[in-house]
Amino acid sequence: MTFSELELIEPIQKALKLQGYVKPTPIQAQAIPLLLQEKDLLGCAQTGTGKTAAFAIPILQLLHLRGAQSKGSRKIKTLIVTPTRELAIQIGESFADYGKFLHLNHTVIFGGVGQKAQTDALHKGVDILIATPGRLLDLMNQGFISLKDVEFFVLDEADRMLDMGFIHDVKKLIAALPKQRQSLFFSATMPPAITQLANTILKNPVRVEVTPVSSTAETINQFLYYVDRNNKYDLLLHLLESKEIKTALVFTRTKHGADKVVKVLAKEGIKAAAIHGNKSQNARQNALENFKNQSIRVLVATDIAARGIDIDELAHVINFEIPNISETYVHRIGRTGRAGANGTAISFCDAEEKDFLKDIHKLINKDIPVIEDHPFPFQGTRYEKKPNDQRGRRNNHGGGDRKPKSGNAKGDGRQGGEKPKKKYFKQKENR
Ligand code: AMP
């Protein structure tokens, strides 16, 4: 199928060509015709499937055909609610890209920054509003936003919205929407609470499902390294010695963990930045921009901050820590191998993370292939605190934990029994 078979208007076709899109993705092929028929939609799709275009294109087309831009002052005709600022910004960019040759405008609002620029934009009149729930409600309560003209309502990443505790906000804003509207609901997973919420929003929806969360894209090569927790920095540095990894998105479970990885990389001269909830909106945007234009090589992120971030040609995702929620693994590695491109997802698993890994294997219905041949093989017993076991001691200069298990160091050019290269801890110990 091609985009021309989807009966899209010329200015949209032209914009898609400019983006280099040749073929609609499966969710686009399924959803666009249904949405152009003004149906409500329940979309079970994760980020990376092309779902933004699947809703942005038909909305732009219908708004244009209804002459939204020509009827006096602009009113909010479309409301898109999404859980994170990064996603909101990206959706805004998509509307700008696909609507490049139309005369519709959009604005993006989110918390964590001053509201003046946002209220100024709202004053001027907006056709399409993309918002995170907190700031949206806040500005509604202050009287800056009226939803009474909304014709299209999109709730994006609904499962994440619930995870992040936005359910009450979402219910409040749904109550403020006109009854007569077209509604679209997207979620990567469909647990009962999500289905229930969808039922309160949608009218006779058609359901479109692509790449269920349990299946990891075929274009992603997945690898696993068993490694003791304290050796993860060294393993990361070891992998980054390879020129093949031009850039990498590294995931940690905690904000502190993300900062620590950045610090270690910086000491080794590797340009890196972290994005997480304690970073200002500006810092997060700068980090993302610098990563996109490759002025930094590594972006370290926590799950919520990384949610939905869209980086073209991201070839490597590294799970520095295994996520404790197995669906998160699928979301994380979905940052690479997008829209048919090839990607590699590398995971570091320590002794305490083995149970998380089991859950992931169950969810994706396969075992991630293990790379056994690396300089920092798993000692396995580090956290069992055996008497006289010196391996767990970080400052033990005796070197008991510096030795790879015999036979495990094959292939990295070292003789059996030679100490593995431990750049990071060597530095620490020398201080
Ligand atoms: P999304 O799932 O909306 O976050 O989109 C994932 C990525 O796929 C984005 O980088 C889009 O620009 C890209 N994309 C969306 N649709 C297409 C398409 N039909 N052809 C090629 N790339 C696409």
Side-chain angles (χ1 to χ4, degrees):
M1 176 177 270
T2 61
F3 278 109
S4 48
E5 287 168 67
L6 289 175
E7 298 182 14
L8 300 177
I9 52 175
E10 177 52 30
I12 293 183
Q13 300 263 19
K14 201 165 125 190
L16 295 178
K17 219 172 263 165
L18 204 64
Q19 288 301 307
Y21 294 4
V22 181
K23 249 166 63 135
T25 65
I27 188 145
Q28 291 161 5
Q30 291 175 64
I32 293 173
L34 296 165
L35 292 171
L36 289 174
Q37 289 167 33
E38 306 187 7
K39 293 204 160 63
D40 278 10
L41 182 91
L42 178 63
C44 187
Q46 62 192 95
T47 303
T49 54
K51 74 178 157 71
T52 314
F55 66 78
I57 291 169
I59 288 175
L60 283 164
Q61 175 146 333
L62 290 173
L63 282 177
H64 175 80
L65 293 176
R66 290 176 195 173
Q69 72 284 13
S70 54
K71 289 182 198 152
S73 68
R74 295 174 193 268
K75 306 252 170 62
I76 299 166
K77 294 274 181 2
T78 296
L79 174 67
I80 293 147
V81 180
T82 191
T84 68
R85 304 177 253 203
E86 284 78 9
L87 266 173
I89 291 168
Q90 262 160 36
I91 294 171
E93 286 168 357
S94 296
F95 271 92
D97 288 341
Y98 313 139
K100 192 176 172 68
F101 302 108
L102 299 172
H103 302 284
L104 297 160
N105 76 354
H106 74 272
T107 203
V108 181
I109 62 170
F110 44 78
V113 293
Q115 67 174 48
K116 177 80 169 61
Q118 299 176 359
T119 55
D120 284 352
L122 290 163
H123 269 310
K124 286 187 194 135
V126 170
D127 300 306
I128 298 152
L129 179 65
I130 301 138
T132 53
R135 176 58 59 96
L136 173 62
L137 272 182
D138 190 3
L139 294 186
M140 280 165 66
N141 291 338
Q142 293 179 56
F144 288 109
I145 293 174
S146 157
L147 300 182
K148 73 177 180 27
D149 297 291
V150 168
E151 296 174 18
F152 300 94
F153 171 60
V154 182
L155 190 68
D156 188 35
E157 310 247 338
D159 50 356
R160 195 55 45 162
M161 204 90 83
L162 258 59
D163 285 353
M164 290 169 74
F166 285 139
I167 183 71
H168 296 297
D169 287 354
V170 169
K171 285 186 171 161
K172 271 186 219 156
L173 64 95
I174 290 165
L177 290 168
K179 296 257 172 311
Q180 187 64 31
R181 59 170 200 257
Q182 188 175 351
S183 303
L184 289 66
F185 185 103
F186 288 93
S187 190
T189 56
M190 288 287 169
I194 293 290
T195 315
Q196 225 170 22
L197 180 66
N199 289 339
T200 66
I201 296 173
L202 303 168
K203 270 195 212 134
N204 305 323
V206 280
R207 187 181 166 122
V208 168
E209 195 165 337
V210 292
T211 337
V213 70
S214 56
S215 68
T216 41
E218 280 160 25
T219 50
I220 305 171
N221 292 313
Q222 300 171 63
F223 299 110
L224 183 76
Y225 286 81
Y226 284 111
V227 54
D228 289 319
R229 187 167 63 191
N230 291 340
N231 286 346
K232 285 187 173 185
Y233 301 101
D234 290 285
L235 180 57
L236 181 62
L237 290 168
H238 172 73
L239 295 179
L240 290 173
E241 277 168 14
S242 158
K243 296 260 180 313
E244 253 175 57
I245 306 186
K246 284 202 193 84
T247 57
L249 176 59
V250 173
F251 283 98
T252 59
R253 274 199 301 268
T254 64
K255 300 169 199 171
H256 174 72
D259 287 336
K260 176 107 194 265
V261 171
V262 170
K263 226 163 137 187
V264 170
L265 293 179
K267 257 192 219 155
E268 296 298 325
I270 297 171
K271 285 189 178 150
I275 54 170
H276 55 61
N278 285 359
K279 296 271 177 187
S280 72
Q281 180 56 17
N282 266 351
R284 284 155 76 165
Q285 252 162 273
N286 282 345
L288 197 57
E289 273 314 303
N290 288 336
F291 186 62
K292 281 184 180 180
N293 65 31
Q294 303 200 356
S295 49
I296 60 169
R297 188 174 171 208
V298 178
L299 186 66
V300 188
T302 56
D303 290 301
I304 286 180
R307 184 75 188 149
I309 59 172
D310 182 12
I311 301 151
D312 289 339
E313 294 172 35
L314 175 63
H316 290 88
V317 164
I318 298 176
N319 292 309
F320 191 83
E321 284 156 339
I322 303 282
N324 52 353
I325 297 168
S326 43
E327 280 83 0
T328 303
Y329 174 78
V330 181
H331 288 306
R332 284 183 182 184
I333 74 164
R335 307 298 104 226
T336 181
R338 284 177 158 209
N342 278 319
T344 301
I346 296 165
S347 301
F348 296 176
C349 179
D350 69 28
E352 292 178 341
E353 296 173 315
K354 279 180 149 182
D355 285 343
F356 302 154
L357 186 66
K358 263 191 217 149
D359 291 342
I360 291 167
H361 285 161
K362 224 191 278 166
L363 177 77
I364 65 173
N365 209 15
K366 66 174 178 192
D367 286 4
I368 306 167
V370 179
I371 303 282
E372 286 178 12
D373 188 5
H374 67 88
F376 308 102
F378 198 37
Q379 305 288 344
T381 52
R382 180 177 288 273
Y383 303 111
E384 288 170 16
K385 288 201 181 108
K386 280 186 189 161
N388 303 325
D389 184 356
Q390 298 292 302
R391 286 180 300 180
R393 296 202 194 154
R394 289 258 299 261
N395 294 323
N396 164 27
H397 293 251
D401 65 332
R402 307 293 176 232
K403 255 190 200 167
K405 266 193 237 163
S406 63
N408 269 337
K410 59 183 174 342
D412 66 349
R414 288 183 284 108
Q415 301 294 312
E418 191 183 327
K419 287 178 186 179
K421 199 165 104 197
K422 291 198 58 154
K423 242 175 156 181
Y424 174 56
F425 282 106
K426 199 162 58 193
Q427 277 218 345
K428 278 199 89 164
E429 287 158 8
N430 287 345
R431 261 186 290 152

